[in-house]
Amino acid sequence: NAGVTQTPKFQVLKTGQSMTLQCAQDMNHEYMSWYRQDPGMGLRLIHYSVGAGITDQGEVPNGYNVSRSTTEDFPLRLLSAAPSQTSVYFCASRTTLFSGYTFGSGTRLTVV
Amino acid sequence: GNSVTQMEGPVTLSEEAFLTINCTYTATGYPSLFWYVQYPGEGLQLLLKATKADDKGSNKGFEATYRKETTSFHLEKGSVQVSDSAVYFCALSEGETSGSRLTFGEGTQLTVNP
């Protein structure tokens, strides 16, 4: 019963580098989302998906891309890292609109 | 748009004290309401939820009642323990048109001292 698995747990990037944050869930959840957590700002939605092949933008999508080729996986790509993207990133999934989200343990990203 | 406002923290209590963390919301329709808890170095865990007015969510001694008339969802616990020290987030989710979007409050840091 792995739930939502995020990799890596920690990452340091140089400005301008690209990388992919991985997210996988084994609960057959249709809904998946990426959030970033910054001090004093709670969690903000980056991108979300309501099923394989369907994605949409959240509150703060600029600088990030996503795709959803399978139900299980929802990777987040940083195209050209900037210091403003230093944050903790959480992936989450859920079954229905009224069910709670299951969160991964997070990726702490630092861009220098 | 939707928004969630939580009481400012941090909150520091002694063990066995009564806890209230206030949460109010603004939404255009009929949201579902949630409380999440985040322990140090971990992701968020769902603590409790309520999906319609007057519903009471409860879990691990925590309770919150969905009050539509005051647009509130305050978190309460009668007797806190040291192990309850964490950050608590109030959140709402509204309607299929918003997809799977959760709107979070800023979080309230709770520290319980022995």
Side-chain angles (χ1 to χ4, degrees):
Chain A
N1 187 16
V4 178
T5 302
Q6 288 184 239
T7 56
K9 292 190 180 300
F10 302 94
Q11 183 71 50
V12 179
L13 288 179
K14 294 182 178 179
T15 297
Q17 286 185 316
S18 62
M19 79 160 294
T20 299
L21 308 185
Q22 301 292 345
C23 175
Q25 53 92 8
D26 60 358
M27 298 171 285
N28 202 33
H29 286 175
E30 291 296 323
Y31 295 88
M32 295 187 75
S33 300
W34 276 102
Y35 291 86
R36 58 178 288 173
Q37 183 179 29
D38 301 293
M41 302 186 75
L43 281 82
R44 293 179 293 169
L45 181 66
I46 304 171
H47 286 285
Y48 65 96
S49 171
V50 298
I54 306 169
T55 63
D56 205 347
Q57 296 181 351
E59 183 183 355
V60 287
N62 291 341
Y64 308 95
N65 274 354
V66 292
S67 60
R68 184 95 181 271
S69 57
T70 66
T71 299
E72 294 77 19
D73 299 301
F74 191 43
L76 178 71
R77 281 181 289 276
L78 279 70
L79 308 175
S80 177
S84 61
Q85 294 178 305
T86 294
S87 187
V88 181
Y89 291 85
F90 290 101
C91 180
S93 71
R94 67 175 179 180
T95 52
T96 68
L97 179 64
F98 300 110
S99 65
Y101 269 104
T102 299
F103 280 80
S105 58
T107 295
R108 184 173 295 275
L109 176 68
T110 301
V111 182
V112 297
Chain B
N2 299 337
S3 66
V4 175
T5 302
Q6 290 182 233
M7 66 183 290
E8 291 187 13
V11 175
T12 302
L13 297 174
S14 297
E15 204 165 25
E16 298 184 2
F18 185 85
L19 169 71
T20 300
I21 301 177
N22 290 338
C23 171
T24 57
Y25 67 89
T26 301
T28 54
Y30 303 94
S32 295
L33 302 174
F34 305 86
W35 276 100
Y36 284 85
V37 59
Q38 184 179 32
Y39 298 102
E42 298 183 12
L44 279 71
Q45 301 175 23
L46 178 64
L47 182 59
L48 55 83
K49 66 178 182 179
T51 58
K52 61 183 187 296
D54 299 325
D55 270 1
K56 177 184 285 188
S58 61
N59 186 25
K60 300 181 182 179
F62 291 90
E63 292 183 341
T65 301
Y66 188 163
R67 301 288 188 197
K68 187 170 183 294
E69 63 275 13
T70 55
T71 62
S72 64
F73 193 54
H74 304 321
L75 182 68
E76 297 182 336
K77 187 175 185 183
S79 177
V80 293
Q81 305 300 312
V82 172
S83 57
D84 293 327
S85 297
V87 181
Y88 292 81
F89 292 92
C90 185
L92 71 81
S93 177
E94 181 178 32
E96 290 291 350
T97 55
S98 64
S100 57
R101 184 180 304 224
L102 270 174
T103 301
F104 286 89
E106 293 183 4
T108 301
Q109 172 77 55
L110 170 67
T111 300
V112 181
N113 294 319

